[in-house]
Amino acid sequence: MDLRFSDEVRRARDAGQPIVALETSVVAQGLPYPDNLAAARACEEAVRRAGAVPAAIAVVDGVVCIGLEEPAMRRLAEGKERLLKLGSRDLAVAVATRASGGTTVSATCELAAAAGIRVFATGGIGGVHRGASEHWDISQDIAALARYPVAVVCAGAKSVLDLPKTMELLETAGVPVIGVGTDELPSFYSRGSGLKLEHRVDDVDTAARIARARFETLGQGGVLYTVPPPEETSLPRNEVELHIASTLADAERQGVRGKDVTPFLLSEMAKRTGGKTLKANLALLTNNARFAGQLAVAYARGA
Protein backbone atom coordinates (compact mmCIF):
# COMPACT_ATOMS: atom_id res chain seq x y z
CA MET A 1 0.00 0.00 0.00
CA ASP A 2 1.28 3.44 -0.94
CA LEU A 3 1.34 5.50 2.25
CA ARG A 4 2.57 9.05 2.84
CA PHE A 5 4.07 9.51 6.30
CA SER A 6 4.40 12.90 7.94
CA ASP A 7 7.94 13.91 8.87
CA GLU A 8 7.22 13.34 12.57
CA VAL A 9 5.77 9.88 12.02
CA ARG A 10 8.55 8.87 9.61
CA ARG A 11 11.19 9.83 12.16
CA ALA A 12 9.33 7.88 14.85
CA ARG A 13 9.17 4.78 12.63
CA ASP A 14 12.86 5.00 11.80
CA ALA A 15 13.73 5.35 15.50
CA GLY A 16 11.38 2.58 16.62
CA GLN A 17 9.33 4.96 18.79
CA PRO A 18 5.78 4.10 19.90
CA ILE A 19 3.06 5.52 17.64
CA VAL A 20 -0.67 5.98 18.17
CA ALA A 21 -3.09 6.19 15.25
CA LEU A 22 -5.91 8.73 15.46
CA GLU A 23 -9.05 8.80 13.32
CA THR A 24 -10.14 11.95 11.51
CA SER A 25 -13.86 11.45 10.89
CA VAL A 26 -14.38 13.17 14.23
CA VAL A 27 -12.60 16.17 12.71
CA ALA A 28 -14.20 16.09 9.26
CA GLN A 29 -17.74 15.12 10.31
CA GLY A 30 -18.12 14.53 14.04
CA LEU A 31 -17.53 17.89 15.72
CA PRO A 32 -18.17 21.51 14.69
CA TYR A 33 -15.36 23.91 13.82
CA PRO A 34 -13.29 25.05 15.73
CA ASP A 35 -14.02 22.43 18.42
CA ASN A 36 -12.93 19.69 16.03
CA LEU A 37 -9.52 21.27 15.48
CA ALA A 38 -9.07 21.85 19.21
CA ALA A 39 -9.98 18.21 19.88
CA ALA A 40 -7.47 16.95 17.31
CA ARG A 41 -4.70 19.05 18.82
CA ALA A 42 -5.62 18.00 22.37
CA CYS A 43 -5.54 14.31 21.42
CA GLU A 44 -2.16 14.67 19.74
CA GLU A 45 -0.78 16.49 22.78
CA ALA A 46 -2.13 13.79 25.13
CA VAL A 47 -0.36 11.12 23.08
CA ARG A 48 2.91 13.07 23.13
CA ARG A 49 2.73 13.66 26.89
CA ALA A 50 2.40 9.90 27.36
CA GLY A 51 5.67 9.43 25.44
CA ALA A 52 4.33 8.34 22.05
CA VAL A 53 3.95 9.97 18.64
CA PRO A 54 0.47 10.74 17.24
CA ALA A 55 -0.43 9.72 13.69
CA ALA A 56 -3.72 11.19 12.52
CA ILE A 57 -4.87 9.21 9.47
CA ALA A 58 -6.82 10.58 6.50
CA VAL A 59 -7.03 10.58 2.71
CA VAL A 60 -6.04 13.93 1.21
CA ASP A 61 -6.40 14.45 -2.55
CA GLY A 62 -6.37 10.69 -3.01
CA VAL A 63 -3.23 10.14 -0.94
CA VAL A 64 -3.34 7.98 2.19
CA CYS A 65 -1.69 10.07 4.89
CA ILE A 66 -0.28 8.58 8.09
CA GLY A 67 0.23 11.64 10.22
CA LEU A 68 -1.18 14.99 9.12
CA GLU A 69 0.72 18.23 8.81
CA GLU A 70 -1.09 21.34 10.12
CA PRO A 71 -2.45 22.58 6.73
CA ALA A 72 -4.07 19.20 5.98
CA MET A 73 -5.62 18.94 9.44
CA ARG A 74 -7.01 22.45 9.11
CA ARG A 75 -8.54 21.57 5.72
CA LEU A 76 -10.43 18.70 7.30
CA ALA A 77 -11.51 20.82 10.25
CA GLU A 78 -12.70 23.87 8.32
CA GLY A 79 -14.74 21.77 5.88
CA LYS A 80 -14.71 24.32 3.06
CA GLU A 81 -14.77 21.49 0.51
CA ARG A 82 -16.66 18.23 0.12
CA LEU A 83 -15.14 15.74 2.55
CA LEU A 84 -15.97 12.05 2.50
CA LYS A 85 -16.66 9.99 5.59
CA LEU A 86 -14.38 7.05 4.88
CA GLY A 87 -14.98 3.52 6.06
CA SER A 88 -12.89 0.64 4.71
CA ARG A 89 -15.23 0.16 1.75
CA ASP A 90 -14.77 3.79 0.66
CA LEU A 91 -10.97 3.91 0.57
CA ALA A 92 -10.56 2.68 -3.01
CA VAL A 93 -13.05 5.25 -4.30
CA ALA A 94 -11.32 8.08 -2.44
CA VAL A 95 -7.88 7.09 -3.73
CA ALA A 96 -9.02 6.55 -7.31
CA THR A 97 -10.97 9.81 -7.54
CA ARG A 98 -8.35 11.83 -5.64
CA ALA A 99 -10.92 12.79 -3.03
CA SER A 100 -10.33 13.88 0.55
CA GLY A 101 -11.96 12.65 3.72
CA GLY A 102 -11.73 11.67 7.34
CA THR A 103 -11.30 8.04 8.30
CA THR A 104 -13.74 6.22 10.57
CA VAL A 105 -12.77 3.38 12.92
CA SER A 106 -12.84 0.73 10.20
CA ALA A 107 -10.65 2.65 7.74
CA THR A 108 -8.27 3.81 10.48
CA CYS A 109 -7.83 0.23 11.72
CA GLU A 110 -7.05 -0.96 8.20
CA LEU A 111 -4.57 1.82 7.43
CA ALA A 112 -2.92 1.71 10.86
CA ALA A 113 -2.33 -2.02 10.41
CA ALA A 114 -0.87 -1.40 6.95
CA ALA A 115 1.49 1.16 8.47
CA GLY A 116 2.57 -1.23 11.23
CA ILE A 117 0.88 0.81 13.97
CA ARG A 118 -0.56 -1.37 16.73
CA VAL A 119 -2.45 1.16 18.90
CA PHE A 120 -5.33 3.42 17.88
CA ALA A 121 -7.38 5.90 19.94
CA THR A 122 -10.93 6.94 19.09
CA GLY A 123 -14.06 8.18 20.87
CA GLY A 124 -16.55 5.35 20.47
CA ILE A 125 -16.80 2.48 18.01
CA GLY A 126 -19.68 1.77 15.66
CA GLY A 127 -21.76 -1.37 15.92
CA VAL A 128 -25.35 -2.55 15.68
CA HIS A 129 -27.83 0.30 15.34
CA ARG A 130 -31.15 0.27 17.10
CA GLY A 131 -33.77 -1.34 14.87
CA ALA A 132 -31.13 -3.30 12.93
CA SER A 133 -33.52 -6.27 12.67
CA GLU A 134 -35.50 -4.14 10.22
CA HIS A 135 -32.88 -2.12 8.35
CA TRP A 136 -29.67 -4.14 8.95
CA ASP A 137 -27.65 -1.05 9.82
CA ILE A 138 -24.45 -2.57 11.21
CA SER A 139 -21.16 -0.70 11.19
CA GLN A 140 -18.11 -1.82 9.22
CA ASP A 141 -16.17 -1.27 12.45
CA ILE A 142 -17.00 -4.74 13.77
CA ALA A 143 -15.48 -6.54 10.78
CA ALA A 144 -12.41 -4.30 10.88
CA LEU A 145 -11.88 -4.88 14.61
CA ALA A 146 -12.01 -8.63 14.02
CA ARG A 147 -9.62 -8.55 11.07
CA TYR A 148 -6.84 -6.05 11.77
CA PRO A 149 -4.22 -6.47 14.55
CA VAL A 150 -4.77 -3.12 16.25
CA ALA A 151 -5.50 -2.32 19.90
CA VAL A 152 -8.41 0.13 19.80
CA VAL A 153 -8.89 2.40 22.81
CA CYS A 154 -12.39 3.86 23.13
CA ALA A 155 -15.11 4.89 25.61
CA GLY A 156 -17.26 1.95 24.56
CA ALA A 157 -19.65 2.03 21.62
CA LYS A 158 -21.50 5.12 20.45
CA SER A 159 -24.58 5.86 22.54
CA VAL A 160 -26.91 5.70 19.55
CA LEU A 161 -26.31 1.96 19.18
CA ASP A 162 -28.06 -1.12 20.48
CA LEU A 163 -25.34 -1.91 23.02
CA PRO A 164 -26.39 -5.48 23.96
CA LYS A 165 -26.54 -6.51 20.28
CA THR A 166 -23.23 -4.75 19.60
CA MET A 167 -21.61 -6.75 22.39
CA GLU A 168 -23.10 -9.98 21.04
CA LEU A 169 -21.76 -9.26 17.57
CA LEU A 170 -18.30 -8.43 18.91
CA GLU A 171 -18.31 -11.80 20.67
CA THR A 172 -19.41 -13.55 17.49
CA ALA A 173 -16.61 -11.79 15.59
CA GLY A 174 -14.07 -12.95 18.17
CA VAL A 175 -13.13 -9.47 19.39
CA PRO A 176 -12.16 -9.34 23.09
CA VAL A 177 -13.67 -6.37 24.89
CA ILE A 178 -11.62 -5.38 27.94
CA GLY A 179 -12.61 -2.85 30.56
CA VAL A 180 -9.85 -0.50 31.72
CA GLY A 181 -10.38 -0.20 35.46
CA THR A 182 -14.00 -1.26 35.09
CA ASP A 183 -16.14 -4.42 34.96
CA GLU A 184 -18.90 -2.67 33.02
CA LEU A 185 -19.04 -1.49 29.41
CA PRO A 186 -18.85 2.32 29.27
CA SER A 187 -21.49 3.91 27.04
CA PHE A 188 -19.61 6.88 25.57
CA TYR A 189 -21.11 9.85 27.44
CA SER A 190 -21.75 7.69 30.53
CA ARG A 191 -19.42 5.60 32.66
CA GLY A 192 -21.73 2.59 32.69
CA SER A 193 -24.26 0.73 30.56
CA GLY A 194 -25.44 -2.08 32.80
CA LEU A 195 -23.55 -4.57 30.59
CA LYS A 196 -20.96 -6.65 32.45
CA LEU A 197 -17.60 -7.31 30.81
CA GLU A 198 -15.83 -10.65 31.04
CA HIS A 199 -12.34 -9.15 31.04
CA ARG A 200 -10.72 -6.27 32.89
CA VAL A 201 -7.25 -4.71 33.22
CA ASP A 202 -6.09 -2.30 35.89
CA ASP A 203 -2.67 -1.37 34.55
CA VAL A 204 -1.22 -0.55 31.17
CA ASP A 205 1.47 -3.24 31.26
CA THR A 206 -1.14 -5.99 31.47
CA ALA A 207 -3.06 -4.36 28.63
CA ALA A 208 0.12 -4.35 26.51
CA ARG A 209 0.84 -8.02 27.25
CA ILE A 210 -2.67 -8.98 26.13
CA ALA A 211 -2.26 -7.06 22.87
CA ARG A 212 1.16 -8.58 22.28
CA ALA A 213 -0.14 -12.09 22.90
CA ARG A 214 -3.04 -11.54 20.51
CA PHE A 215 -1.02 -9.99 17.71
CA GLU A 216 2.41 -11.60 17.93
CA THR A 217 1.93 -14.93 19.70
CA LEU A 218 -1.45 -15.94 18.30
CA GLY A 219 -1.60 -13.92 15.08
CA GLN A 220 -5.17 -12.81 15.75
CA GLY A 221 -7.12 -9.63 14.99
CA GLY A 222 -7.91 -6.57 17.05
CA VAL A 223 -8.64 -6.04 20.72
CA LEU A 224 -10.93 -3.41 22.22
CA TYR A 225 -10.00 -1.50 25.38
CA THR A 226 -12.93 0.41 26.87
CA VAL A 227 -12.07 3.37 29.10
CA PRO A 228 -14.83 5.05 31.14
CA PRO A 229 -15.17 8.76 30.31
CA PRO A 230 -13.84 11.18 32.96
CA GLU A 231 -16.21 11.32 35.91
CA GLU A 232 -16.32 15.12 36.04
CA THR A 233 -17.74 15.41 32.51
CA SER A 234 -19.73 12.18 32.16
CA LEU A 235 -23.52 12.27 32.04
CA PRO A 236 -26.13 10.06 33.78
CA ARG A 237 -27.14 7.17 31.54
CA ASN A 238 -30.90 7.74 31.96
CA GLU A 239 -30.57 11.40 30.96
CA VAL A 240 -28.62 10.47 27.84
CA GLU A 241 -31.18 7.82 26.89
CA LEU A 242 -34.04 10.32 26.99
CA HIS A 243 -32.21 12.70 24.68
CA ILE A 244 -31.19 9.89 22.32
CA ALA A 245 -34.74 8.60 21.97
CA SER A 246 -36.00 12.08 21.11
CA THR A 247 -33.12 12.75 18.71
CA LEU A 248 -33.52 9.43 16.89
CA ALA A 249 -37.22 10.14 16.44
CA ASP A 250 -36.29 13.45 14.83
CA ALA A 251 -33.74 11.69 12.61
CA GLU A 252 -36.41 9.24 11.46
CA ARG A 253 -38.83 12.05 10.62
CA GLN A 254 -36.14 13.90 8.68
CA GLY A 255 -34.98 10.81 6.80
CA VAL A 256 -31.48 10.76 8.30
CA ARG A 257 -29.97 7.31 7.67
CA GLY A 258 -26.76 5.28 7.80
CA LYS A 259 -23.47 7.11 8.29
CA ASP A 260 -25.29 10.45 8.64
CA VAL A 261 -26.94 9.39 11.92
CA THR A 262 -23.89 9.85 14.14
CA PRO A 263 -23.03 13.45 13.08
CA PHE A 264 -26.74 14.34 13.38
CA LEU A 265 -26.89 12.79 16.84
CA LEU A 266 -23.76 14.58 18.08
CA SER A 267 -25.00 17.95 16.86
CA GLU A 268 -28.52 17.57 18.22
CA MET A 269 -27.37 16.16 21.55
CA ALA A 270 -25.08 19.15 22.08
CA LYS A 271 -28.00 21.50 21.51
CA ARG A 272 -30.39 19.60 23.80
CA THR A 273 -27.91 19.37 26.68
CA GLY A 274 -26.62 22.92 26.51
CA GLY A 275 -23.22 21.76 25.32
CA LYS A 276 -22.73 19.10 28.01
CA THR A 277 -22.35 16.27 25.49
CA LEU A 278 -19.82 18.26 23.48
CA LYS A 279 -17.76 18.86 26.62
CA ALA A 280 -18.00 15.17 27.52
CA ASN A 281 -16.98 14.16 24.00
CA LEU A 282 -13.88 16.38 24.03
CA ALA A 283 -12.88 15.09 27.48
CA LEU A 284 -13.25 11.40 26.61
CA LEU A 285 -11.34 11.78 23.34
CA THR A 286 -8.36 13.26 25.19
CA ASN A 287 -8.64 10.69 27.97
CA ASN A 288 -8.61 7.82 25.46
CA ALA A 289 -5.63 9.32 23.63
CA ARG A 290 -3.71 9.54 26.90
CA PHE A 291 -4.27 5.86 27.71
CA ALA A 292 -3.48 4.87 24.13
CA GLY A 293 -0.17 6.72 24.37
CA GLN A 294 0.68 4.87 27.57
CA LEU A 295 -0.34 1.57 25.96
CA ALA A 296 1.84 2.21 22.90
CA VAL A 297 4.83 2.96 25.13
CA ALA A 298 4.30 -0.23 27.16
CA TYR A 299 3.82 -2.29 23.99
CA ALA A 300 7.02 -0.88 22.43
CA ARG A 301 9.14 -1.72 25.46
CA GLY A 302 7.81 -5.29 25.49
CA ALA A 303 5.88 -5.00 28.77
Side-chain angles (χ1 to χ4, degrees):
M1 186 179 293
D2 188 14
L3 306 174
R4 178 183 292 172
F5 295 94
S6 68
D7 290 342
E8 182 184 22
V9 174
R10 181 181 293 105
R11 288 193 297 269
R13 279 167 50 87
D14 292 345
Q17 293 178 277
I19 301 172
V20 174
L22 298 169
E23 58 133 309
T24 50
S25 179
V26 69
V27 178
Q29 288 90 22
L31 294 173
Y33 180 82
D35 296 304
N36 52 1
L37 188 58
R41 288 171 173 164
C43 287
E44 290 186 333
E45 182 59 25
V47 170
R48 292 190 182 99
R49 287 184 178 179
V53 173
I57 295 178
V59 177
V60 180
D61 298 329
V63 177
V64 177
C65 297
I66 310 296
L68 290 183
E69 309 291 357
E70 178 64 19
M73 183 69 82
R74 185 171 287 277
R75 275 181 65 183
L76 293 184
E78 291 180 345
K80 294 179 179 179
E81 60 194 286
R82 180 172 179 262
L83 297 171
L84 302 180
K85 185 177 182 180
L86 301 172
S88 287
R89 69 168 188 170
D90 310 301
L91 289 173
V93 175
V95 170
T97 62
R98 299 181 181 178
S100 299
T103 53
T104 64
V105 169
S106 65
T108 309
C109 279
E110 179 172 356
L111 297 176
I117 300 172
R118 290 290 174 256
V119 180
F120 159 39
T122 185
I125 65 161
V128 181
H129 282 259
R130 303 180 194 205
S133 59
E134 298 177 5
H135 50 60
W136 290 95
D137 190 352
I138 299 172
S139 172
Q140 301 171 63
D141 295 358
I142 303 291
L145 285 163
R147 179 177 180 182
Y148 300 110
V150 178
V152 179
V153 178
C154 66
K158 294 184 174 73
S159 302
V160 68
L161 301 176
D162 185 321
L163 296 183
K165 286 186 174 62
T166 296
M167 286 295 291
E168 287 290 345
L169 191 54
L170 284 165
E171 181 181 353
T172 299
V175 179
V177 181
I178 300 173
V180 178
T182 182
D183 297 306
E184 186 176 340
L185 179 72
S187 56
F188 198 66
Y189 297 124
S190 307
R191 292 177 64 82
S193 64
L195 298 174
K196 185 173 176 57
L197 296 174
E198 291 187 41
H199 306 293
R200 167 179 177 153
V201 294
D202 291 297
D203 63 272
V204 72
D205 286 349
T206 302
R209 287 196 298 272
I210 291 170
R212 185 174 293 280
R214 186 156 168 85
F215 305 154
E216 299 183 20
T217 304
L218 300 172
Q220 296 178 324
V223 55
L224 196 64
Y225 292 99
T226 61
V227 183
E231 192 165 2
E232 60 272 18
T233 56
S234 64
L235 302 175
R237 175 70 175 159
N238 58 349
E239 177 185 330
V240 172
E241 279 297 309
L242 289 173
H243 287 301
I244 287 176
S246 176
T247 302
L248 288 178
D250 284 349
E252 182 67 25
R253 284 192 293 270
Q254 295 179 38
V256 179
R257 299 283 190 278
K259 64 172 65 177
D260 294 325
V261 170
T262 296
F264 179 84
L265 176 82
L266 292 173
S267 176
E268 287 299 307
M269 290 283 284
K271 294 176 186 176
R272 292 164 190 254
T273 62
K276 288 181 182 178
T277 55
L278 177 57
K279 185 177 180 180
N281 199 348
L282 295 172
L284 68 86
L285 283 166
T286 306
N287 192 50
N288 294 345
R290 175 192 56 79
F291 180 80
Q294 295 171 350
L295 177 60
V297 169
Y299 189 96
R301 70 167 181 260

